[in-house]
Amino acid sequence: MRSGSTDLPVLKPFRAPAPIAPSGFAAPVMLSSGTLAVFVILFGASLALAQVAARPAGEGAVTVLLRWAPLIFQGFLFNILISFLSMALGTVVGVLVGIAQVSLLAPVRKTAWGVTQFFRNAPWLVLLFYAMFLLPFEFRMFGITIAFPAWVKAVIGLALPVAANVSEIVRGGIKSIPAGQWESADALAFTRAQTLWMIILPQAFKRMLPPWMNLYAILTMATTLISVVGIQDALSVTRAALIAESRPELMIPMYLLLLLMFFAYCYPIARATLALERRFNVKA
């Protein structure tokens, strides 16, 4: 036998497959573009029908829609602002309550669980009504009267169910980490707080991110509830435009325009959520 040779079977080098991240994000973009095109076609068809049904002496449907579109878009931006603020407040509170749900102290753990279950299973509109009508319109501090705007109360009302859902996301993310991580940290003399902030939460973050993004998309669509309690948002502006014009044929194009705005904003978030789940191998 020659030096350096062998008659034993040899396993050929294995070529690792390409990462799935690029394709994981490319597919949702393609699907989003196709679905968005369907909405655009439906919007164009409804606008054409409204143009045909327009009164001979009145303005065309396209002219009226272009006049109101900037105002509707401004209302839509207000919905986005409300969603940002509600999500930020709900996330801060929800993270604290979620960590309290895994506390070693039974009273703290049970109280956090009860608060989470109550607000998680309460109707969002009911919580919004309670926040709007139970919170004061103004309050005094050091002899100074400070107004409490309705939109701030709406942010609080929407942040309550968000906080409850974020709390459950945090609890589930922490519980999904294997117990061996806690045991290894105990063996290295880490405190529970050090284990949680330095070991457990960094690993749980990627598992919590997809459901957190999905919750934000749901919240954004739910911000139209604020129109029910008298706050001027995109839905309120659309309804006011229809009343001002008194043209029933414009109802479908205007509401489709509003739907198109929300769809173009929320659908990519939902698709990115699925892509992150595939990338991080997060199982439902």
Side-chain angles (χ1 to χ4, degrees):
M1 179 180 298
R2 292 179 300 173
S3 176
S5 63
T6 176
D7 57 351
L8 297 176
V10 178
L11 181 64
K12 294 183 178 181
F14 174 72
R15 178 176 297 177
I20 63 172
S23 60
F25 281 95
V29 171
M30 293 174 59
L31 184 56
S32 174
S33 300
T35 311
L36 188 61
V38 173
F39 274 92
V40 171
I41 293 173
L42 290 176
F43 173 71
S46 65
L47 191 59
L49 291 176
Q51 186 73 21
V52 172
R55 292 189 294 265
E59 290 182 302
V62 176
T63 304
V64 175
L65 194 64
L66 289 177
R67 185 172 64 247
W68 286 99
L71 293 177
I72 296 175
F73 184 70
Q74 289 180 10
F76 171 72
L77 293 180
F78 182 72
N79 285 88
I80 300 302
L81 176 62
I82 294 295
S83 69
F84 278 160
L85 296 176
S86 299
M87 195 69 194
L89 179 60
T91 298
V92 172
V93 176
V95 168
L96 297 177
V97 177
I99 293 175
Q101 282 200 82
V102 297
S103 173
L104 297 179
L105 300 176
V108 175
R109 184 175 62 252
K110 291 180 179 180
T111 300
W113 180 87
V115 170
T116 298
Q117 296 304 316
F118 176 80
F119 287 106
R120 188 182 178 210
N121 295 285
W124 289 34
L125 185 58
V126 174
L127 294 177
L128 187 59
F129 268 109
Y130 271 110
M132 291 297 298
F133 298 113
L134 291 184
L135 294 176
F137 292 94
E138 60 182 20
F139 57 92
R140 290 182 173 271
M141 182 179 295
F142 305 110
I144 302 175
T145 302
I146 301 177
F148 205 48
W151 67 268
V152 175
K153 293 190 284 186
V155 168
I156 296 174
L158 291 176
L160 292 175
V162 170
N165 283 277
V166 170
S167 171
E168 194 64 17
I169 291 172
V170 172
R171 184 203 64 81
I174 293 175
K175 289 292 187 180
S176 68
I177 303 301
Q181 298 290 319
W182 293 92
E183 296 169 358
S184 300
D186 288 340
L188 294 173
F190 278 75
T191 65
R192 184 173 177 84
Q194 290 175 329
T195 302
L196 188 63
W197 292 105
M198 301 173 61
I199 299 175
I200 303 301
L201 285 179
Q203 297 181 71
F205 174 76
K206 69 178 184 180
R207 306 186 182 198
M208 296 186 291
L209 184 58
W212 181 87
M213 292 175 58
N214 188 56
L215 177 62
Y216 173 68
I218 295 174
L219 169 65
T220 303
M221 293 180 287
T223 55
T224 54
L225 293 175
I226 65 177
S227 65
V228 179
V229 292
I231 299 178
Q232 294 294 320
D233 70 329
L235 185 60
S236 300
V237 175
T238 303
R239 187 161 51 238
L242 290 171
I243 295 174
E245 295 296 335
S246 299
R247 296 176 59 175
E249 71 272 8
L250 291 175
M251 183 178 65
I252 295 179
M254 281 195 174
Y255 279 117
L256 273 180
L257 176 63
L258 180 61
L259 176 62
L260 193 61
M261 292 179 183
F262 277 97
F263 176 81
Y265 183 79
C266 295
Y267 187 71
I269 297 176
R271 299 306 303 176
T273 300
L274 297 178
L276 285 176
E277 289 179 353
R278 290 194 295 269
R279 181 178 181 181
F280 295 147
N281 293 323
V282 178
K283 305 300 182 182

